[in-house]
């Protein structure tokens, strides 16, 4: 087999799309793996590798059957191409489909695919359906999963067991409803909320899945149908399958990952918006497969005998490896000799792909579905949301376990002291149920109601309008954030570019003096026209008064003209007559808009010509001879144009100052001015040019062509020719400063958050230079702080060196690109996170959505601290869902992030109020409320224990029936719950002293220390009330109940009053009304209260003494503490 020469015939020279031509007859590689490895190693070898893959494929396909191999590949003496020509068209189409199936069988576990045009049903059914599904549950899993989520909390499980125990007669104590009602209430609320949320998700999914798309239909195709108009049918996006040909209209969402075959633009290009995928709002250029773009019409795609090979689906949206193969030329007549050798193989890269969830920005396009559903890049980059649980709930769950142990120990001790008499195990269980109020179910009810109040307060705050709380279980988390991970584009910036400065060495034009530029430009063009053309500007300047003035206007003319020509912007006229500029970079659009504002307007642009309108209204035209596009490696963009009028050839180049300083002529101002503009947070571009004679340009063209047909090291050779012949001694024209407008109050917000002890990371899909600029302009990096850039790391040694450097310089800001970040995480995950989390600021650029989410998870896992993520685009959804708290901004990029987030805000600056005020209050209040409710349950259990111990360790309830039911509800509920309105400082102080927030992140408001303090208070008060009631014991048992219970209720009301820092009208009312309700209920409960005794003076003084003994010492301790060790907030009051 290895002796069959399989030649692949490529195109003779590089295509317009910048594809690398195919090498001729390169020896095949026996293993697909090594070939694929080579392909990944270097894109420049894409074509030759692609052909090798194809050969590898063909060998692999027929390994099962040597006869089939012989018949399909022809005899060894035949060239592959010759054999195919002899084969009739009909026979040829069939095997390509069969071969694909064979190849899939051979590699069932391999997800790479070779899909023919018009694939068979069997092949299509092997790939996942193209369905969007964000739902958490279905009909069968809903109840089991919701119950699991609830009962995995020890808290709820404990109550379920206690409630079930009441159905056993021997264990029944009091009303069964007092045990079941609170649990049922909590579960009903939770189930209702989860069901509603999932129903909304289901509606959104159904809407996305039912969007209609046009598909080219080969079944309805007939030769007699009108020329050029293919038969189409409309299908919902969920019915699209691999191999379908989808027709996309302008502003339509791409429903699956497509290979772009044809566009309505004759050049075979189109623009897409990728904001929901990578968060960048600039438009990206995509190129159609040249072989398909050359076809006469879309309908010819239906008869094309071709197939597409694609690698297995991966997450990376910037890479794609595949090939496009035409097995026989289109419309081949019998006996006709094809003009090209077949099969022709063309490489496919990410430039030819339309990823799902992107939007076609202009024109129409036809795409070939290659990945669907779960295999699309968009789905692979989104993670499934897990149910988020607040840290406070976890801490309280932990305390509940301690309380359970206390309950069990107490029950066991009481039975043991009684000498394990009688059916002691039943006594233990009865004691457990008697003491079950130690872990009060009302705690869950109170906390859930508290969360609802906090959510309502956030949503009704007039200073942060339209803020929505989507996950009402997390308001307390906002008070404990230590890491904030923010997106850049649309979150910190508005993504609106504006040209702010033009510097020309001796003179600088600011934003307010641009009219002077317009004036100079008008003078230059006016004089140029009077002087009959612009061949010699020196002659035209004679009419001007001073040489300096003439010199200035011609310099302004040169720099503005260069800026108006050196770009990739295309003007597009909309239906309403307005003109919009299309470009892959918003910077370029900003500069072209600026040249228009000073009088030089871009009217027309295609691949070969640019037309401008001058300030005088006349048009000037330029032929585009060469374009050298911007890449992240070269950091510059060049263009060679010929003036149609004068025939003068000029090479113009603009780029980043780091590369341009080496290319332009020597000067003494460029570096200094670039540094000045960078400090202002402006994005700088250096503009330069060089004029050429026809001979010099012809020489360059010849050398460039020779380099472009090299087989080895082609791109390096071409770059060298450009560097040697064009990029030398360029005349420096000027320096532009473009501002990326920041969101309102971003600087002050970041400063406040940093003072609050929050470490801020910026994760963006943008370039390193841009991200560094924004880090400076937002004051994420302090003035004069060292910025350490880490990019293009390749080896573990380089990573180790960088980490060692950072370890010794923890006060710097780290800027790292996605590639290096991935390498760091793969090789030294723990070391990297340990060092990075200590740095004051980190900026990660070129991050994929998954990387953002991974960083969030790593920080959470490694530091065990609370992480908040904020973003505004579809690419931020994974990060938002991976955080402890996700905040989504409703932005220009749509509502996808806002809908997936726990909190939705309309601008970044609202974060200050959300965290420093609402978050701080929610956490403090819930901590106080939780401990008070635990105290309320403990105190009554201690009284029960003392009572049982005195009365021969009998498991008899001290308070029964209505008293127990009323204790946790009518008698104490309102005052205790009113603690959710308490606040220690005013709003202005909380925002003025963000350091107060830092105190909270230590978690001292609710800790084991505070918990044991409340435990001691409960034991002291419970014992004091019970023992004093027994000391002052009257002859009847009935009186001890009324005395101790009244003392208990008064004690709780006084304790609430002692806990309050700032009184609210509802607090006062709740105390008074509760006391009133208790007084009235005494009259209606004669079985517990003897009215004549209750109204006597003996009762009053005894209760007063008991309450004084239980509460007065605590008041004294609190007073001393406030003087000796006051809280941080009280120092500010």
């Amino acid at each position: 087999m290895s002796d069959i020469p399989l030649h692949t015939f490529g195109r003779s020279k590089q295509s317009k799309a910048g594809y690398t031509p195919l090498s001729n007859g390169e020896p095949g590689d026996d293993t697909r793996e090594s070939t694929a490895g080579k392909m990944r190693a270097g894109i420049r070898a894409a074509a030759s590798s692609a052909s090798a893959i194809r050969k590898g494929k063909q060998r692999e396909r027929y390994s099962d059957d040597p006869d089939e191999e012989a018949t399909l590949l022809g005899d060894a003496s035949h060239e592959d191409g010759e054999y195919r020509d002899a084969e009739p068209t009909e026979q040829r189409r069939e095997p390509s489909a069969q071969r694909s199936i064979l190849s899939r069988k051979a590699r069932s576990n391999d997800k790479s695919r070779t899909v023919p045009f018009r694939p068979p049903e069997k092949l299509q059914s092997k790939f996942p359906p193209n369905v969007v599904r964000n739902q958490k549950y279905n009909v069968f899993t809903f109840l089991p999963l919701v119950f699991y989520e609830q009962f995995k909390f020890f808290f709820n499980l404990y109550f379920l067991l206690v409630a079930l125990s009441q159905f056993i007669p021997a264990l029944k104590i009091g009303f069964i409803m007092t045990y079941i009602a609170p649990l049922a209430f909590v579960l009903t609320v939770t189930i209702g909320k989860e069901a509603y949320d999932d129903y909304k998700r289901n509606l959104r999914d159904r809407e996305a899945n039912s969007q209609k798309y046009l598909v080219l239909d080969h079944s309805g195709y007939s030769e007699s149908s009108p020329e050029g108009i293919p038969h189409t049918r409309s299908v919902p996006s969920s019915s699209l399958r691999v191999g379908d040909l989808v027709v996309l209209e302008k502003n339509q969402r791409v429903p699956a990952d497509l290979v772009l075959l044809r566009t309505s633009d004759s050049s075979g290009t189109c623009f897409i918006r990728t904001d929901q995928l990578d968060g960048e709002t600039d438009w990206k250029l995509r190129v159609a497969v040249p072989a398909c773009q050359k076809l006469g019409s879309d309908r010819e795609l239906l008869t094309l005998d071709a197939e597409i090979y694609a690698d297995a689906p991966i997450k990376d949206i910037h890479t794609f490896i595949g090939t496009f193969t035409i097995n026989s030329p289109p419309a081949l007549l019998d006996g006709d000799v094809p003009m090209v050798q077949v099969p022709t193989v063309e490489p496919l890269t990410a430039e030819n792909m339309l990823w799902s969830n992107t939007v076609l920005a202009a024109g129409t396009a036809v795409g070939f579905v290659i990945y669907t559903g779960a295999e699309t890049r968009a789905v692979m980059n989104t993670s499934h949301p897990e149910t988020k649980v607040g840290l406070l709930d976890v801490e309280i769950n932990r305390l509940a376990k301690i309380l359970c142990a206390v309950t069990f120990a107490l029950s066991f001790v009481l039975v043991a002291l009684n000498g394990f008499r009688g059916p002691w195990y039943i006594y233990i269980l009865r004691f457990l149920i008697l003491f079950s109020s130690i872990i009060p179910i009302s705690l869950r009810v109170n906390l859930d109601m508290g969360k609802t109040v906090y959510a309502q307060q956030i949503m009704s705050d007039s200073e942060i309008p339209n803020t929505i709380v989507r996950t009402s279980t997390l308001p307390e988390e906002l008070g404990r954030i230590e890491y904030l991970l923010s997106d850049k584009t649309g979150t910190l910036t508005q993504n609106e570019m504006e040209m702010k400065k033009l510097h020309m060495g001796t003179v600088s034009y600011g934003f307010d003096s641009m009219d002077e530029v317009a004036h100079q430009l008008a003078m230059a063009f006016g004089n140029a026209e009077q002087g009959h053309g612009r061949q010699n500007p020196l002659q035209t300047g004679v009419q001007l008064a001073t040489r300096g003035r003439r010199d200035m206007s011609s310099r302004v003319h040169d720099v503005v003209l260069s800026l108006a020509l050196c770009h990739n912007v295309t003007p597009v006229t909309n239906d309403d007559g307005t003109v919009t500029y299309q470009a892959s970079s918003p910077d370029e659009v900003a500069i072209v808009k600026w040249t228009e504002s000073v009088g030089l307007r871009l009217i027309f642009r295609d691949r070969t010509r640019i037309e401008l309108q001058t300030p005088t209204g006349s048009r000037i035209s330029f032929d585009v001879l060469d374009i050298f596009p911007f890449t992240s490696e070269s950091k510059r963009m060049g263009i060679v144009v010929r003036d149609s009028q004068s025939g003068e050839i000029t090479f113009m180049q603009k780029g980043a100052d780091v590369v341009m300083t080496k290319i332009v002529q020597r000067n003494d101002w460029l570096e200094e001015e670039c540094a000045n503009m960078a400090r202002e947070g402006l994005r700088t571009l250096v503009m330069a040019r060089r004029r050429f004679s026809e001979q010099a340009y012809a020489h360059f063209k010849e050398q460039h062509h020779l380099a472009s047909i090299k087989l080895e090291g082609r791109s390096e050779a071409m770059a060298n020719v450009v560097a040697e012949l064009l990029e030398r001694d360029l005349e420096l024209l000027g320096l532009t400063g473009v501002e990326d407008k920041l969101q309102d109050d971003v600087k002050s917000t970041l400063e406040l958050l940093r003072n609050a002890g929050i470490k801020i990371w910026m994760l963006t899909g943008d370039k390193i230079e841009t991200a560094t600029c924004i880090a400076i302009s937002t004051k994420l990096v302090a003035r004069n702080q060292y910025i350490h850039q880490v990019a293009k790391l390749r080896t573990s040694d380089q990573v180790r060196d960088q980490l060692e450097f950072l370890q010794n310089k923890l006060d710097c800001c780290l800027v790292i690109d996605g590639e290096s970040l991935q390498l760091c995480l793969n090789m030294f995950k723990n070391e990297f996170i340990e060092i990075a989390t200590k740095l004051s600021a980190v900026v990660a650029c070129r991050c994929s959505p998954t990387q953002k989410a991974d960083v969030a998870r790593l920080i959470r896992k490694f530091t065990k601290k609370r992480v908040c993520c904020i973003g505004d685009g579809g690419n931020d959804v994974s990060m938002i869902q991976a955080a402890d708290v996700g905040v989504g901004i409703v932005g220009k990029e749509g509502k996808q992030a806002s809908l997936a987030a726990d909190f939705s805000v309309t601008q970044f600056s609202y974060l200050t109020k959300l965290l420093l005020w609402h978050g701080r209050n929610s956490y403090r209040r819930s901590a106080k409320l939780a401990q008070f409710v635990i105290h309320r349950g403990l105190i009554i259990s201690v009284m029960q224990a003392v009572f049982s111990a005195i009365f021969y360790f009998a498991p008899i309830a001290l308070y029964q029936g209505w008293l127990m039911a009323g204790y946790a509800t009518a008698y104490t509920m309102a005052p205790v719950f009113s603690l959710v309105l308490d606040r220690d400082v005013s709003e202005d102080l909380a925002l003025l002293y963000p350091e107060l927030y830092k105190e909270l992140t230590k978690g001292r408001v609710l800790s084991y220390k505070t918990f044991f303090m409340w435990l001691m208070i409960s034991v002291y008060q419970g014992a004091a009330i019970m023992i004093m009631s027994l000391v002052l014991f009257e002859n009847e048992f009935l009186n001890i109940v009324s005395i101790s219970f009244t003392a208990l209720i008064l004690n709780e009301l006084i304790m609430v009053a002692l806990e309050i820092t700032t009184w609210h009208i509802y607090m006062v009312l709740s105390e008074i009304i509760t006391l009133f309700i208790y007084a009235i209920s005494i009259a209606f409960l004669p079985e517990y209260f003897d009215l004549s005794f209750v109204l006597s003076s003996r009762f009053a003084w005894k209760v007063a003494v008991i309450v004084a003994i239980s509460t007065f010492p605590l008041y004294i301790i609190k007073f001393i503490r406030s003087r000796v060790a006051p809280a941080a907030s009280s120092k500010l009051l």
Side-chain angles (χ1 to χ4, degrees), residues 320-392:
F320 172 74
I321 296 173
T323 59
F324 178 84
T325 309
I326 294 185
N327 294 321
S328 66
L332 193 65
L333 299 171
D334 287 337
D336 207 355
V337 178
M339 297 306 288
V340 288
Q341 294 282 9
V342 285
T344 49
V345 183
E346 292 183 7
L348 297 177
T349 65
E351 263 200 329
N352 307 104
M353 296 301 295
L354 303 178
W355 303 127
S356 70
N357 259 6
T358 58
V359 175
L360 188 65
T364 60
V366 179
F368 181 98
V369 178
I370 196 75
Y371 301 122
T372 50
E375 292 182 340
T376 60
R377 297 291 202 264
V379 174
M380 290 178 84
N381 273 300
T382 48
S383 49
H384 280 290
E386 63 241 31
T387 309
K388 293 185 182 179
V389 178
L391 186 60
L392 188 88

Side-chain angles (χ1 to χ4, degrees), residues 881-918:
Q881 289 173 342
D884 293 299
V885 180
V887 181
I889 294 182
V890 184
K892 291 178 186 165
E893 298 182 19
K895 286 191 168 182
Q896 211 170 333
S898 149
L899 292 169
D902 307 308
F903 298 88
S904 162
V905 295
T906 52
Q907 60 186 63
F908 184 79
S909 58
Y910 290 174
L911 212 54
T912 326
K913 185 102 187 270
L914 198 62
L915 299 183
L916 303 191
W917 176 243
H918 291 292

Side-chain angles (χ1 to χ4, degrees), residues 99 119 124 160 163 235 356 379 407 551 700 778 793 877 896 906:
R99 290 199 310 255
Q124 285 184 318
L160 181 69
V235 296
S356 70
V379 174
T407 310
D551 192 35
F700 159 73
T778 52
L793 295 187
V877 170
Q896 211 170 333
T906 52

Side-chain angles (χ1 to χ4, degrees), residues 118-148:
R118 303 171 305 288
E121 181 77 24
K122 192 176 176 188
L123 177 67
Q124 285 184 318
S125 61
K126 289 188 176 179
F127 302 112
N130 195 41
V131 178
V132 176
R133 189 172 192 281
N134 292 313
Q135 268 179 278
K136 276 193 199 174
Y137 315 103
N138 60 32
V139 179
F140 303 106
T141 60
F142 178 68
L143 282 175
L145 284 176
V146 171
F147 280 139
Y148 168 73

Side-chain angles (χ1 to χ4, degrees), residues 722-740:
V722 174
E724 283 170 26
L725 298 178
L726 292 186
E727 298 178 342
R728 289 178 67 175
D729 287 340
L730 266 59
E731 178 192 348
L732 175 58
L733 296 176
L735 176 67
T736 62
V738 175
E739 180 187 50
D740 189 350

Side-chain angles (χ1 to χ4, degrees), residues 185-204:
F185 173 75
V186 170
L187 288 179
T188 312
V189 169
T190 310
I191 290 171
K193 202 154 105 320
E194 286 290 326
Y196 178 72
D197 287 350
D198 217 45
Y199 172 66
K200 296 296 271 187
R201 277 189 218 107
N202 179 30
L203 286 184
R204 289 202 290 274

Side-chain angles (χ1 to χ4, degrees), residues 449-495:
M449 281 166 54
K451 289 176 199 287
T452 312
V453 171
Y454 310 144
Q456 202 49 52
Q457 285 176 339
I458 291 171
M459 291 199 279
S460 57
D461 189 335
S462 59
E463 287 181 25
I464 47 172
N466 302 322
T467 301
I468 302 167
V469 179
R470 297 196 192 278
T471 311
S472 55
T473 53
L474 297 175
E476 298 96 351
E477 290 293 275
L478 292 171
R480 315 188 63 172
I481 303 300
E482 290 194 49
Y483 287 91
L484 175 68
L485 274 51
S486 169
D487 175 41
K488 177 188 76 72
T489 314
T491 305
L492 298 175
T493 68
Q494 297 179 22
N495 211 39

Side-chain angles (χ1 to χ4, degrees), residues 1042-1092:
S1042 57
I1043 288 177
S1044 63
F1045 195 74
T1046 307
L1048 178 64
I1049 297 295
L1050 290 174
N1051 178 73
E1052 285 303 281
L1053 294 181
I1054 291 168
M1055 284 299 289
V1056 170
L1058 285 177
E1059 274 305 299
I1060 291 169
T1061 318
T1062 312
W1063 282 87
H1064 189 284
I1065 183 69
Y1066 288 144
M1067 296 171 172
V1068 180
L1069 288 174
S1070 65
E1071 293 262 337
I1072 295 167
I1073 291 167
T1074 302
L1075 202 57
F1076 182 68
I1077 290 170
Y1078 179 64
I1080 289 178
S1081 67
I1082 288 175
F1084 291 98
L1085 296 172
E1087 66 266 37
Y1088 306 115
F1089 298 100
D1090 178 356
L1091 259 181
S1092 56

